[in-house]
mmCIF file of all heavy atoms in Angstrom:
data_model
loop_
_atom_site.group_PDB
_atom_site.id
_atom_site.type_symbol
_atom_site.label_atom_id
_atom_site.label_comp_id
_atom_site.label_asym_id
_atom_site.label_seq_id
_atom_site.Cartn_x
_atom_site.Cartn_y
_atom_site.Cartn_z
ATOM 1 N N CYS A 236 80.616 -77.726 -39.212
ATOM 2 C CA CYS A 236 79.443 -78.488 -38.799
ATOM 3 C C CYS A 236 79.630 -79.976 -39.057
ATOM 4 O O CYS A 236 79.130 -80.824 -38.312
ATOM 5 C CB CYS A 236 78.205 -77.983 -39.549
ATOM 6 S SG CYS A 236 77.630 -76.355 -38.998
ATOM 7 N N GLN A 237 80.373 -80.314 -40.117
ATOM 8 C CA GLN A 237 80.618 -81.723 -40.425
ATOM 9 C C GLN A 237 81.387 -82.395 -39.296
ATOM 10 O O GLN A 237 81.122 -83.552 -38.949
ATOM 11 C CB GLN A 237 81.401 -81.846 -41.750
ATOM 12 C CG GLN A 237 81.631 -83.280 -42.205
ATOM 13 C CD GLN A 237 80.342 -84.044 -42.465
ATOM 14 O OE1 GLN A 237 79.388 -83.491 -43.003
ATOM 15 N NE2 GLN A 237 80.295 -85.309 -42.058
ATOM 16 N N GLN A 238 82.331 -81.651 -38.697
ATOM 17 C CA GLN A 238 83.088 -82.220 -37.577
ATOM 18 C C GLN A 238 82.168 -82.486 -36.377
ATOM 19 O O GLN A 238 82.319 -83.491 -35.675
ATOM 20 C CB GLN A 238 84.228 -81.277 -37.176
ATOM 21 C CG GLN A 238 85.387 -81.286 -38.170
ATOM 22 C CD GLN A 238 86.495 -80.330 -37.753
ATOM 23 O OE1 GLN A 238 86.234 -79.280 -37.160
ATOM 24 N NE2 GLN A 238 87.726 -80.677 -38.073
ATOM 25 N N THR A 239 81.218 -81.588 -36.148
ATOM 26 C CA THR A 239 80.244 -81.808 -35.071
ATOM 27 C C THR A 239 79.456 -83.080 -35.337
ATOM 28 O O THR A 239 79.232 -83.899 -34.424
ATOM 29 C CB THR A 239 79.264 -80.617 -34.991
ATOM 30 O OG1 THR A 239 80.002 -79.423 -34.811
ATOM 31 C CG2 THR A 239 78.280 -80.785 -33.849
ATOM 32 N N TRP A 240 79.029 -83.249 -36.568
ATOM 33 C CA TRP A 240 78.288 -84.451 -36.959
ATOM 34 C C TRP A 240 79.140 -85.702 -36.773
ATOM 35 O O TRP A 240 78.697 -86.697 -36.186
ATOM 36 C CB TRP A 240 77.835 -84.314 -38.406
ATOM 37 C CG TRP A 240 77.280 -85.569 -39.015
ATOM 38 C CD1 TRP A 240 77.904 -86.420 -39.865
ATOM 39 C CD2 TRP A 240 75.972 -86.130 -38.805
ATOM 40 N NE1 TRP A 240 77.085 -87.458 -40.208
ATOM 41 C CE2 TRP A 240 75.882 -87.313 -39.569
ATOM 42 C CE3 TRP A 240 74.864 -85.734 -38.048
ATOM 43 C CZ2 TRP A 240 74.750 -88.114 -39.604
ATOM 44 C CZ3 TRP A 240 73.736 -86.532 -38.078
ATOM 45 C CH2 TRP A 240 73.679 -87.705 -38.847
ATOM 46 N N ASP A 241 80.368 -85.671 -37.265
ATOM 47 C CA ASP A 241 81.253 -86.839 -37.169
ATOM 48 C C ASP A 241 81.515 -87.224 -35.719
ATOM 49 O O ASP A 241 81.527 -88.410 -35.369
ATOM 50 C CB ASP A 241 82.582 -86.557 -37.884
ATOM 51 C CG ASP A 241 82.423 -86.432 -39.396
ATOM 52 O OD1 ASP A 241 81.383 -86.924 -39.915
ATOM 53 O OD2 ASP A 241 83.296 -85.838 -40.041
ATOM 54 N N LYS A 242 81.711 -86.232 -34.869
ATOM 55 C CA LYS A 242 81.990 -86.499 -33.457
ATOM 56 C C LYS A 242 80.784 -87.140 -32.779
ATOM 57 O O LYS A 242 80.915 -88.082 -31.986
ATOM 58 C CB LYS A 242 82.365 -85.188 -32.758
ATOM 59 C CG LYS A 242 82.918 -85.368 -31.354
ATOM 60 C CD LYS A 242 83.422 -84.039 -30.823
ATOM 61 C CE LYS A 242 83.999 -84.199 -29.408
ATOM 62 N NZ LYS A 242 84.501 -82.907 -28.870
ATOM 63 N N MET A 243 79.593 -86.635 -33.079
ATOM 64 C CA MET A 243 78.382 -87.212 -32.508
ATOM 65 C C MET A 243 78.160 -88.631 -33.025
ATOM 66 O O MET A 243 77.785 -89.537 -32.263
ATOM 67 C CB MET A 243 77.175 -86.324 -32.842
ATOM 68 C CG MET A 243 75.890 -86.667 -32.081
ATOM 69 S SD MET A 243 74.910 -87.964 -32.886
ATOM 70 C CE MET A 243 74.495 -87.168 -34.434
ATOM 71 N N MET A 244 78.402 -88.868 -34.307
ATOM 72 C CA MET A 244 78.252 -90.202 -34.885
ATOM 73 C C MET A 244 79.216 -91.181 -34.228
ATOM 74 O O MET A 244 78.850 -92.321 -33.896
ATOM 75 C CB MET A 244 78.499 -90.155 -36.393
ATOM 76 C CG MET A 244 77.388 -89.512 -37.195
ATOM 77 S SD MET A 244 75.876 -90.511 -37.248
ATOM 78 C CE MET A 244 76.406 -91.853 -38.318
ATOM 79 N N ALA A 245 80.436 -90.740 -34.017
ATOM 80 C CA ALA A 245 81.429 -91.611 -33.390
ATOM 81 C C ALA A 245 81.009 -91.990 -31.974
ATOM 82 O O ALA A 245 81.194 -93.132 -31.534
ATOM 83 C CB ALA A 245 82.789 -90.922 -33.364
ATOM 84 N N ALA A 246 80.403 -91.031 -31.263
ATOM 85 C CA ALA A 246 80.018 -91.272 -29.864
ATOM 86 C C ALA A 246 78.773 -92.137 -29.728
ATOM 87 O O ALA A 246 78.601 -92.825 -28.722
ATOM 88 C CB ALA A 246 79.803 -89.938 -29.156
ATOM 89 N N THR A 247 77.908 -92.121 -30.746
ATOM 90 C CA THR A 247 76.604 -92.782 -30.575
ATOM 91 C C THR A 247 76.377 -94.005 -31.456
ATOM 92 O O THR A 247 75.438 -94.769 -31.208
ATOM 93 C CB THR A 247 75.462 -91.793 -30.865
ATOM 94 O OG1 THR A 247 75.567 -91.335 -32.226
ATOM 95 C CG2 THR A 247 75.507 -90.596 -29.921
ATOM 96 N N THR A 248 77.189 -94.193 -32.487
ATOM 97 C CA THR A 248 76.896 -95.304 -33.406
ATOM 98 C C THR A 248 78.077 -96.224 -33.696
ATOM 99 O O THR A 248 77.885 -97.433 -33.850
ATOM 100 C CB THR A 248 76.383 -94.771 -34.762
ATOM 101 O OG1 THR A 248 77.416 -94.008 -35.396
ATOM 102 C CG2 THR A 248 75.141 -93.910 -34.581
ATOM 103 N N ARG A 249 79.274 -95.707 -33.769
ATOM 104 C CA ARG A 249 80.366 -96.513 -34.332
ATOM 105 C C ARG A 249 80.861 -97.615 -33.401
ATOM 106 O O ARG A 249 81.381 -98.628 -33.858
ATOM 107 C CB ARG A 249 81.517 -95.601 -34.746
ATOM 108 C CG ARG A 249 81.150 -94.837 -36.027
ATOM 109 C CD ARG A 249 82.149 -93.809 -36.433
ATOM 110 N NE ARG A 249 81.589 -92.956 -37.501
ATOM 111 C CZ ARG A 249 82.088 -91.809 -37.868
ATOM 112 N NH1 ARG A 249 83.171 -91.333 -37.264
ATOM 113 N NH2 ARG A 249 81.526 -91.109 -38.823
ATOM 114 N N THR A 250 80.690 -97.441 -32.106
ATOM 115 C CA THR A 250 81.156 -98.462 -31.172
ATOM 116 C C THR A 250 80.026 -99.073 -30.349
ATOM 117 O O THR A 250 80.090 -100.231 -29.962
ATOM 118 C CB THR A 250 82.209 -97.873 -30.210
ATOM 119 O OG1 THR A 250 81.637 -96.752 -29.519
ATOM 120 C CG2 THR A 250 83.453 -97.428 -30.977
#
Side-chain angles (χ1 to χ4, degrees):
C236 288
Q237 184 61 39
Q238 286 179 327
T239 304
W240 170 258
D241 292 341
K242 190 173 181 180
M243 191 274 297
M244 287 290 289
T247 61
T248 64
R249 286 174 191 165
T250 57

